[in-house]
Amino acid sequence: MSQRIDHHPVLGSLGDRKQLPFYYNGSVYTAYEGETIAGALLAAGVRTLRVHEEKGTPRGIYCNIGHCYECRVHVDGVPTVRACMTLVQEGMQVNAGSILPTPLKKGGHGA
Amino acid sequence: MIDLLIIGAGPAGLSAAIASAKQGLAVRVVDEFYRPGGRLLGQLHEEPDGVWWNGLDEAARLTQEAIELGVEIRCGVSVFHLTHSQDGWIVSTTVGEMIAPLLLIATGASEAAVPVPGWTLPGVMSIGAAQVMTNVQRVRVGQRGVVIGINILSVAISRELQLAGITVDRMILPPSTTVSGTAWQPQAVMQSLLRVAHLAPSLLIRMGSKMMGNSWMQKLAVSLYPSNGFSMWDIPIQLRTAAVEIVGTSQVEGVRIARVAADGSPIAGTEQVIPADFVCIAGGLSPLAELAAIAGCPFAYVPSLGGHVPLHNESMRTPVPGLYVAGNISGIESAKVAMAQGTVAGLSIAKARGKLTNEQPLLDAIQQVKIVRQNATIQFHPNIVAGRALVGQMTAEWIAN
């Protein structure tokens, strides 16, 4: 179910907006023109935007104004794009990223 | 060639752009958000006179006026470095270097995080994030949530969430940690709320009933102790309950809470988990001042202004030649103060550029900041005036030496 606030008691109603299909982790979603990646996905009930690069734990938005980088996603192959600051474009490929190897985790010198 | 580059298209930056462009300066404004307006965009509250303060409209008005004056506004541009050279400021941005003889940093504020176990779960966000998602992106952050952190900002935004059909189950205190300041102390939080009690249900103010206003204040004072706290706009504000942990596996499912004693210490055996599908964390605001630091500006630590602020005088000049600040970077106050400060900065910069033939408008604008501050409905801190005076004095001393 969409969580969009089409009608607001003070801000009024949103008019007709153009629909923009885009992809998140290979599945198709619909954004409206002028929506951020974070907004469009949350409207569709998607809270997890990426996984932690080391632990794989889920992450969503935190600050929603570009400071915290918690919502960083891959967009059309470009890593570290902030989902909260980026407007959806038609056909955009958004990806949550994956766990990265940590070969030096235990320290150097064969530790 | 531009005369002035402004970093930040919020109320301060846009007002400065307008004021300086009116004096004939060529002005460019950059902002990393995708549309101009800054934190004005999310603001929506009813003033005591019953008029709604709609930040979206204010932002649109400022943007329109700036554009009509020939100001160039470039959104989606992040600034990551500044250096000074003979040609002026060299500003490194995500779309290349920009050069301007005069620079205004109007980057606003950032929200302080509060360490609560489980805060990285999807569905946990800052209170400002919820505000932008609700009022700007027009998407509900959830059905029913908990706000951790009780302050003027979180109370106002909780009301905004409620307007959009989102239920705020309750507002509670953060856990006591070494970085929570006094935000976990029931008494301190109550005192800070009493300062804004005159704002309380503006419905009461509309009804013009002083009696009711007084009884609300009395109720607030005595209800520090009842277990359910008191309600503002039907949102329970619980000064004797603190968050212990945010629980959930792939996203927020609830909050573990505990009753706390009057001194803020948790009461054993009172823990319970309440269901929630989102959590907002409200840790307060502090000036977003990294760029001023990179520019070599000296700072002062002034708690009443929100923390570390770049030194500046009444004209919004810093001790660094060609560098100005305005808005929340200079101390946490309301958007109206930021707009008034932006006008000062714009005129002050026009003067530095030799474009201000008559100084009276600048002097008037400086006076206007004080008037706006005095009339502000929301005072973020009781000692703002003293804090401002201290910064002004430190700036004068720095320049003299």
Side-chain angles (χ1 to χ4, degrees), chain A residues 21-95:
Chain A
F22 73 105
Y23 299 89
Y24 174 64
N25 287 347
S27 300
V28 69
Y29 289 87
T30 303
Y32 287 92
E33 195 160 38
E35 282 188 338
T36 61
I37 296 169
L41 286 173
L42 184 60
V46 177
R47 286 195 181 281
T48 298
L49 295 170
R50 69 173 179 104
V51 292
H52 188 270
E53 288 84 350
E54 185 185 330
K55 296 172 185 160
T57 48
R59 294 289 196 272
I61 60 161
Y62 183 74
C63 81
N64 203 24
I65 53 165
H67 293 166
C68 74
Y69 280 77
E70 271 290 86
C71 68
R72 57 187 183 266
V73 289
H74 297 242
V75 173
D76 295 331
V78 179
T80 322
V81 175
R82 290 170 285 182
C84 71
M85 303 282 280
T86 309
L87 298 179
V88 173
Q89 309 287 335
E90 190 166 345
M92 196 178 240
Q93 295 275 352
V94 182
N95 205 283

Side-chain angles (χ1 to χ4, degrees), chain B residues 201-215:
Chain B
S202 54
L203 178 68
L204 299 185
I205 293 160
R206 268 213 307 276
M207 289 166 70
S209 169
K210 245 187 166 176
M211 289 282 284
M212 287 183 76
N214 284 339
S215 79

Side-chain angles (χ1 to χ4, degrees), chain B residues 256-275:
Chain B
R256 187 184 309 280
I257 61 173
R259 301 268 300 130
V260 294
D263 67 357
S265 56
I267 299 171
T270 61
E271 282 194 9
Q272 58 166 316
V273 174
I274 50 169

Side-chain angles (χ1 to χ4, degrees), chain B residues 46-370:
Chain B
E46 198 175 12
E47 306 243 309
D49 58 6
V51 174
W52 283 90
W53 171 259
N54 181 341
L56 286 164
D57 287 348
E58 292 293 323
R61 183 179 61 76
L62 290 172
T63 303
Q64 187 60 34
E65 191 177 354
I67 290 170
E68 280 168 10
L69 287 162
V71 173
E72 180 194 0
I73 301 175
R74 296 182 67 174
C75 289
V77 175
S78 303
V79 173
F80 54 87
H81 190 50
L82 307 168
T83 50
H84 201 258
S85 78
Q86 281 184 332
D87 301 328
W89 291 98
I90 303 172
V91 178
S92 305
T93 81
T94 46
V95 294
E97 278 184 355
M98 296 180 186
I99 297 172
L102 296 163
L103 181 65
L104 171 65
I105 306 181
T107 41
S110 66
E111 290 183 76
V114 174
V116 182
W119 80 294
T120 59
L121 278 169
V124 181
M125 68 198 79
S126 73
I127 190 80
Q131 182 184 45
V132 173
M133 192 55 88
T134 305
N135 296 343
V136 184
Q137 268 112 42
R138 294 288 288 265
V139 176
R140 281 185 199 89
V141 289
Q143 305 302 313
R144 188 179 195 88
V146 172
V147 173
I148 300 174
I150 302 167
N151 53 50
I152 177 64
L153 189 70
S154 68
V155 171
I157 297 177
S158 295
R159 167 65 171 153
E160 296 172 17
L161 301 185
Q162 190 189 43
L163 274 176
I166 300 161
T167 302
V168 176
D169 179 78
R170 69 191 75 195
M171 302 182 67
I172 58 177
L173 299 173
S176 157
T177 71
T178 50
V179 294
S180 317
T182 57
W184 58 277
Q185 296 169 1
Q187 204 79 40
V189 173
M190 189 192 73
Q191 276 164 5
S192 72
L193 284 181
L194 277 173
R195 284 196 290 109
V196 293
H198 62 283
L199 270 184
S202 54
L203 178 68
L204 299 185
I205 293 160
R206 268 213 307 276
M207 289 166 70
S209 169
K210 245 187 166 176
M211 289 282 284
M212 287 183 76
N214 284 339
S215 79
W216 182 87
M217 279 181 67
Q218 286 158 13
K219 197 174 157 198
L220 172 57
V222 296
S223 66
L224 176 60
Y225 300 99
S227 59
N228 292 328
F230 60 94
S231 289
M232 209 186 264
W233 298 297
D234 292 327
I235 301 171
I237 299 180
Q238 301 184 339
L239 294 170
R240 290 287 296 277
T241 304
V244 176
E245 181 188 9
I246 300 162
V247 295
T249 45
S250 62
Q251 65 178 56
V252 172
E253 291 164 23
V255 182
R256 187 184 309 280
I257 61 173
R259 301 268 300 130
V260 294
D263 67 357
S265 56
I267 299 171
T270 61
E271 282 194 9
Q272 58 166 316
V273 174
I274 50 169
D277 66 350
F278 75 93
V279 168
C280 290
I281 292 182
L285 300 171
S286 52
L288 189 67
E290 288 91 336
L291 289 175
I294 290 172
C297 187
F299 277 64
Y301 180 68
V302 186
S304 67
L305 299 182
H308 295 275
V309 294
L311 290 189
H312 61 279
N313 62 17
E314 279 191 327
S315 302
M316 309 316 288
R317 263 183 67 186
T318 75
V320 178
L323 182 70
Y324 296 75
V325 291
N328 271 353
I329 186 179
S330 74
I332 305 302
E333 294 194 71
S334 72
K336 288 180 182 174
V337 173
M339 281 159 36
Q341 288 177 330
T343 302
V344 171
L347 291 168
S348 184
I349 290 164
K351 183 186 164 192
R353 201 69 178 145
K355 294 282 182 74
L356 196 66
T357 43
N358 173 6
E359 266 197 49
Q360 196 55 43
L362 175 57
L363 299 174
D364 291 346
I366 290 171
Q367 196 53 33
Q368 185 61 20
V369 172
K370 292 175 184 165

